Amino acid sequence: RCCCCCCSQTLEDDSPQPADPDADAEPRCGRPVTRETLRAVGFRFVTALVTAIAFAQLVFVIRGVEGAACVDSLGSSRLLIERSTKCYVGEHARSAVLVWAVLLGFSGFPLGALAWEVLWARAGSLDLASNAFVYLTRGLKPRTFWFRTLPLFVNVAIAIQTVLLRSVAMRVLLASVSVLLQGVVVAVLWPFKSNWQNWIQISIACAQAVQVVILLSLDSSSPRDSDSTIAIRNALAVLVAAFAAAAVLLGFVRVRRERKAAAKSLSQTGDDEPRTAVSSTDAESITVVSSVSISGSSEPESAGPAVESESDQSE
């Protein structure tokens, strides 16, 4: 007997088996590979690949920008992060192909994902809960299926400004503004089906911005760029306060509007039920009256031939 779970004979089967002339041969285990199985495996592979790319996109874009960004230094073009390496000369020329492939692939991933979603949405066959890009569409409303591609575009912008900008305060400010803009989009569009997911996104945006304000406050104690750091910190603090107030206000207004719409629909449903009951009662009464009238009108007609037959017999 074979101990494989895919075999028809298992150790748990204690029923007597008929004699088999080929009993000494090795049992054949396994299921035949069908097209459905291959499609399921391919679907899972693509889903896992998309999820991994979305998680690792920011890191790979930063590394790609660092390997491709060059500046003029010492009379020649050199890498921004490593001035001893000349751009596109020697080893860098051989590795530049891989660097640009990684940079273009991970930077263009949001655009490709958005194009795929738009094409399937226009065709009317985009299932937000079951598709190859389900990591980017699950939990979203049908009209905002594109929302999770927005942070991927923001990651590209953050990676570029992280490498190219030299001012730390300016980099922090731009990153914080990008996060706040995502929170503004959430507060305006309310893209998720459940309200708590929208509130979590708004809370994360506010928390990250407050964290940046605290870090800038600690960094302003150093003499280097202290004036610019303090100015950026104050501007960011004002932005955070204004965004938090606006997001909370918009959120409560939207939730209140949804509750009113739900209560209105329930009241309309309650008003329609008595009307339906009355109409059904009226229909039954009309049916009874019509049946009575038909039966009453049919009796004289049936009596006519009987009278005539009696008169004929008397004659």
Side-chain angles (χ1 to χ4, degrees), residues 76-97:
S76 61
S77 179
R78 298 176 181 271
L79 279 179
L80 179 63
I81 62 171
E82 188 177 348
R83 300 299 176 88
S84 61
T85 301
K86 293 184 178 181
C87 290
Y88 306 105
V89 176
E91 296 182 357
H92 187 260
R94 291 188 291 270
S95 61
V97 178

Side-chain angles (χ1 to χ4, degrees), residues 5 78 134 193 206 305:
C5 60
R78 298 176 181 271
V134 68
K193 294 180 180 178
C206 292

Side-chain angles (χ1 to χ4, degrees), residues 57 60-69 96-109 156 159-160:
Q57 183 211 17
F60 279 95
V61 173
I62 290 176
R63 295 295 177 263
V65 175
E66 289 177 348
V97 178
L98 179 60
V99 169
W100 277 103
V102 171
L103 179 59
L104 294 178
F106 282 88
S107 299
F109 170 73
V156 176
I160 293 175

